[in-house]
Amino acid sequence: MVRVFNLKNVLSVILTLAMLVVLSVSAFSTGAYAVFYGNTPRLVPVYSVDRQDKVVSITFDCAWGTEYTDAILNALKVSNVRATFFMVEFWTTKYPEFVKKIDESGCEIGTHSSTHSYMSKLNAEEIKKELTTSSEAIESVTGKKVDLFRAPYGDYDDELIKTASELGYYTIQWDVDSLDWKDLSASDIAMRVINGAKNGSIILMHNNGLHTAEAVPIILETLKNRGYSFVPVGELIYRENYVIDGTGRQKAAQ
């Protein structure tokens, strides 16, 4: 059988492979983001981490109020768990005593932007300002560098992740959504998290959900009884030489 090769198709394949190689090198060299290969190469944040051990991260977004924050911190302390809190700048500047309290509890702090905007609608300079000023507000209280970022509403595009990466931030999403912002009951929130968690999961919660503080002790106790341990996101993720698959799962590069 004689096979006829279409030169145009061959050149297209070669060009695509070359593009993927370039993007892969770029991703690995920065150590701050990875490339998702679908029909079109694009950048994606970390939704979860490929871990063989039963380790997860519980995270809290801070944008509105503090009424339940002390109860959450107390539950974390009782269970000897360190979480990650993502803070918006206007929350940080309004409640510096809580920023300090969270930091001194041993928990980790990342930025959740400056103004809680849909950041895929911003240009690179606007994104830089959102990340820079919000991080500076946190660092002025804690004295610690911020290198984790969660986009408000989980809204992102290539420009956002690329810009965040160039500034040295790891963009973090989640694979377990508690939906605590919908004011679900504590048991409903807890069961969503407990049933969704797996090795390397990143759990999304909010510091001021109506029943979040009631759900947290149930989540921590149940998952611990199932053999899971908790670490901050910064200790869960790979920081260099990684890839991210189509589900947003971060894996060590082979």
Side-chain angles (χ1 to χ4, degrees), residues 132-197:
T132 301
T133 63
S134 58
S135 293
E136 288 174 348
I138 295 168
E139 292 167 6
S140 69
V141 177
T142 67
K144 298 176 182 176
K145 180 177 174 54
V146 174
D147 66 358
L148 299 178
F149 161 60
R150 172 172 285 158
Y153 313 105
D155 173 60
Y156 66 89
D157 61 3
D158 281 6
E159 186 67 42
L160 175 61
I161 299 177
K162 177 176 179 293
T163 304
S165 170
E166 290 172 348
L167 294 175
Y169 294 92
Y170 296 82
T171 305
I172 307 297
Q173 292 280 92
W174 60 86
D175 68 324
V176 180
D177 191 347
S178 69
L179 293 183
D180 57 348
W181 59 273
K182 288 189 172 184
D183 295 341
L184 302 180
S185 68
S187 59
D188 284 344
I189 293 170
M191 291 312 299
R192 283 189 59 83
V193 173
I194 291 164
N195 291 334

Side-chain angles (χ1 to χ4, degrees), residues 71-122:
I72 291 172
L73 288 174
N74 184 64
L76 293 170
K77 180 179 179 180
V78 168
S79 293
N80 193 30
V81 167
R82 292 177 298 139
T84 300
F85 288 76
F86 290 95
M87 301 176 181
V88 178
E89 183 178 351
F90 58 72
W91 190 93
T92 302
T93 56
K94 186 174 182 178
Y95 305 110
E97 70 278 14
F98 277 92
V99 179
K100 185 176 179 63
K101 191 181 298 185
I102 289 168
D103 175 58
E104 292 179 345
S105 75
C107 289
E108 177 180 59
I109 298 177
T111 175
H112 195 34
S113 81
S114 175
T115 61
H116 207 269
S117 301
Y118 285 94
M119 294 183 72
S120 67
K121 298 180 180 180
L122 306 181

Side-chain angles (χ1 to χ4, degrees), residues 194-208:
I194 291 164
N195 291 334
K198 60 182 180 290
N199 295 10
S201 280
I202 298 174
I203 301 163
L204 171 65
M205 305 191 80
H206 298 79
N207 75 303
N208 216 40

Side-chain angles (χ1 to χ4, degrees), residues 54 56 58 190 193-198 203 217-230:
K54 299 186 74 169
V56 298
I58 187 166
V193 173
I194 291 164
N195 291 334
K198 60 182 180 290
I203 301 163
I218 303 171
I219 293 167
L220 301 182
E221 181 179 1
T222 304
L223 289 181
K224 279 194 166 189
N225 286 339
R226 293 186 179 184
Y228 287 95
S229 57
F230 295 81

Side-chain angles (χ1 to χ4, degrees), residues 4-50:
V4 178
F5 292 94
N6 185 305
L7 180 59
K8 182 178 180 180
N9 289 342
V10 172
L11 290 176
S12 177
V13 170
I14 293 173
L15 181 61
T16 299
L17 290 174
M19 182 186 301
L20 294 181
V21 169
V22 171
L23 287 172
S24 295
V25 171
S26 174
F28 297 154
S29 65
T30 64
Y33 68 92
V35 177
F36 163 57
Y37 306 123
N39 294 329
T40 303
R42 59 187 289 248
L43 303 178
V44 292
V46 178
Y47 283 77
S48 66
V49 181
D50 187 38

